[in-house]
Amino acid sequence: MPEILIRNADTILTMDDDRRELSGADILIRDGVVADVGHGLTAPGAQVVEAAGCVITPGLVNTHHHLYQTLTRAVPGGQDALLFGWLQTLYPIWARFGPDEMFTSAQVGLAELALSGCTLTSDHLYLYPNGSRLEDTIHAAAEVGLRFHPTRGAMSIGESDGGLPPDALVERERDILEDMIRVVDAFHNPSEGAMVRVGLAPCSPFSVSRDLMRDAALLARDKGVMLHTHLAENDEDIAYSEAKFGCRPGQYAEDLGWTGPDVWHAHCVKLDGAEIDLFARSRTGVAHCPCSNCRLGSGIAPVRALRDAGVPVGLGVDGSASNDAGNLIAEARQAMLLQRVAGGADKMSAREALEIATRGGADVLGRPDCGRIAPGKRADIAIWDTTGVESAGSWDPAALLLAGPTRVRDLFVEGRQVVAGGEMATIDLPRVIETQNRMARALAG
């Protein structure tokens, strides 16, 4: 792989340990790693990328997604439903998916993320109809070129046992655990710079048993992988936990081994003060999904309180059936705005929200090798053109979330160019979109 010299950027927001912001600076990439950051760098024979008029950030990090849902955006029956009703509308549609639908929907979702500046994403796949497997999404990520942290999700309590999902979408818990072992052994790479790591992720406390939650935690620790689930998403979620388990979601998670630096929970909109303290003490991470929380009327997560307490927080776009988009830079802006609505204009700056979207998300996923631009870190880099209409008149081009583009100009992952000139460089995106639209029409009947 040839060296790459990104030259003469207007501003580089490094998100390094000193949060340096460099003007008129360069980045040298060698063997998928940032080799140097500074002024007047030279590299004879390197590929040169001119970045005048651009702001450079670390690649954004998405900590919660359901990629398969890009096939069910804006479904009429679920557009105005709360969480549980929304799920009941969509479960029968998802039950008709197969491996091709999983692969194509993942490609579309990953491309959408890439175009919004994302270089590393997790995914929570918790249903496997008609022969679908986790590797359907892993293969899609390999083609698109994003760094990927898929999680082997699961549902085991169907309608006949008092759960929400139809019985056709649940699995036997023995089979779930066996497949968790299979995918970790086959695909998880614990090495620094890994392109694929695998986590374990029972869907939620109301779709699996206590036994599966506990067994998954034990298995994850034995295998050295991370744990992920939904938690405290809305008022219904809290009521269910108190009625079914006799405690709030945070206590339920702690009792089953679901707290610690190797755990991150999605949403956490309704965490109370004691639960925030628990997460801070245990270094349990949170994936904040502001647009989805707005779309489903779940509320505003207490991100200011979480951050002030020291809880690791990253951003997630959530599934594209509850967002219904997957634009991570727009998600960062929404996170900033919601904290201002909840607490005042001084409660979150544009730079802090961008830090949550980069370094913050990388730390939640256990990837200190990502999310910052510094020598020795992975060359996951987003280049934003600030010469367009969105930034015209801005006094602070580095304040991208206030006045800046929502589509990246160039994107590098492990030093490989994934987006070039605002277009995907790795896949034939128009062809993939047409395939997805054809699938969506077939599902709609």
Side-chain angles (χ1 to χ4, degrees):
M1 181 184 296
E3 291 183 329
I4 299 170
L5 180 61
I6 303 174
R7 189 165 64 186
N8 199 32
D10 278 15
T11 305
I12 300 175
L13 302 175
T14 66
M15 297 299 170
D16 66 7
D17 292 346
D18 297 321
R19 309 304 193 270
R20 291 183 303 157
E21 298 184 10
L22 306 177
S23 299
D26 314 320
I27 302 170
L28 179 62
I29 298 171
R30 181 184 301 125
D31 297 327
V33 174
V34 174
D36 201 0
V37 183
H39 296 88
L41 301 183
T42 59
Q47 173 190 341
V48 175
V49 177
E50 295 290 351
C54 297
V55 171
I56 297 179
T57 69
L60 309 188
V61 179
N62 181 41
T63 61
H64 186 64
H65 208 330
H66 307 294
L67 287 166
Y68 75 91
Q69 292 181 11
T70 62
L71 255 173
T72 49
R73 301 190 211 240
V75 172
Q79 286 183 19
D80 303 314
L82 298 177
L83 175 63
F84 284 14
W86 171 85
L87 284 169
Q88 289 169 327
T89 297
L90 289 164
Y91 278 142
I93 302 172
W94 295 336
R96 296 163 57 195
F97 282 27
D100 290 344
E101 285 78 10
M102 293 297 186
F103 176 83
T104 299
S105 59
Q107 281 201 312
V108 169
L110 290 162
E112 185 177 16
L113 285 172
L115 291 168
S116 72
C118 177
T119 52
L120 164 61
T121 183
S122 67
D123 185 48
H124 190 184
L125 182 57
Y126 53 81
L127 46 81
Y128 297 86
N130 307 309
S132 302
R133 299 195 297 176
L134 188 66
E135 51 261 48
D136 299 328
T137 61
I138 293 173
H139 298 327
E143 289 198 9
V144 174
L146 290 199
R147 205 178 295 276
F148 198 37
H149 197 136
T151 60
R152 206 302 182 180
M155 299 188 294
S156 63
I157 301 177
E159 287 178 314
S160 62
D161 293 320
L164 276 178
D167 290 347
L169 281 178
V170 302
E171 303 172 88
R172 294 187 307 172
E173 295 191 349
R174 183 182 65 188
D175 295 338
I176 291 167
L177 290 167
E178 288 179 355
D179 198 55
M180 285 178 170
I181 294 169
R182 181 188 70 83
V183 296
V184 169
D185 288 347
F187 299 107
H188 179 68
N189 181 357
S191 303
E192 183 171 320
M195 289 298 292
V196 178
R197 289 189 182 170
V198 176
L200 305 184
C203 181
S204 66
F206 52 81
S207 59
V208 300
S209 71
R210 282 179 185 265
D211 287 343
L212 184 60
M213 291 290 287
R214 186 179 291 108
D215 289 345
L218 292 171
L219 177 60
R221 267 79 192 228
D222 180 63
K223 291 288 188 180
V225 301
M226 295 190 72
L227 288 162
H228 183 52
T229 193
H230 300 90
L231 199 78
E233 185 168 354
N234 64 5
D235 290 331
E236 292 173 286
D237 200 338
I238 302 298
Y240 182 95
S241 182
E242 291 177 337
K244 185 75 171 179
F245 309 127
C247 62
R248 287 185 56 88
Q251 184 64 55
Y252 182 74
E254 184 180 35
D255 290 347
L256 296 178
W258 276 77
T259 54
D262 57 350
V263 183
W264 85 103
H265 294 287
H267 301 298
C268 297
V269 174
K270 299 297 181 177
L271 292 185
D272 66 12
E275 289 166 322
I276 291 172
D277 289 343
L278 166 64
F279 278 34
R281 290 194 310 272
S282 59
R283 300 297 295 165
T284 303
V286 169
H288 173 43
C289 306
C291 289
S292 175
N293 295 158
C294 289
R295 161 78 158 73
L296 292 172
S298 300
I300 301 173
V303 174
R304 180 72 277 146
L306 289 165
R307 293 266 297 172
D308 289 347
V311 176
V313 178
L315 283 184
V317 299
D318 203 8
S320 292
S322 66
N323 190 311
D324 292 60
N327 186 310
L328 195 51
I329 193 74
E331 202 77 35
R333 176 180 169 86
Q334 185 78 346
M336 174 189 70
L337 295 177
L338 280 180
Q339 293 309 299
R340 293 176 175 217
V341 167
D346 60 348
K347 293 305 178 184
M348 183 165 289
S349 69
R351 280 170 170 77
E352 182 180 10
L354 190 60
E355 179 175 323
I356 293 171
T358 52
R359 184 186 179 106
D363 290 347
V364 164
L365 295 182
R367 298 301 302 257
D369 55 338
C370 301
R372 54 274 270 167
I373 299 173
K377 302 300 182 181
R378 313 317 298 184
D380 294 1
I381 293 169
I383 303 178
W384 308 88
D385 185 351
T386 52
T387 64
V389 65
E390 305 97 333
S391 301
S394 173
W395 287 32
D396 182 8
L400 289 171
L401 304 188
L402 293 174
T406 57
R407 188 172 179 127
V408 77
R409 192 196 79 176
D410 300 296
L411 191 75
F412 293 86
V413 182
E414 193 71 5
R416 179 191 183 199
Q417 192 156 14
V418 173
V419 176
E423 302 295 337
M424 293 300 300
T426 53
I427 61 171
D428 182 353
L429 186 55
R431 178 190 60 78
V432 174
I433 291 170
E434 174 52 35
T435 300
Q436 169 126 316
N437 286 336
R438 185 169 63 251
M439 289 175 171
R441 289 192 295 269
L443 288 166

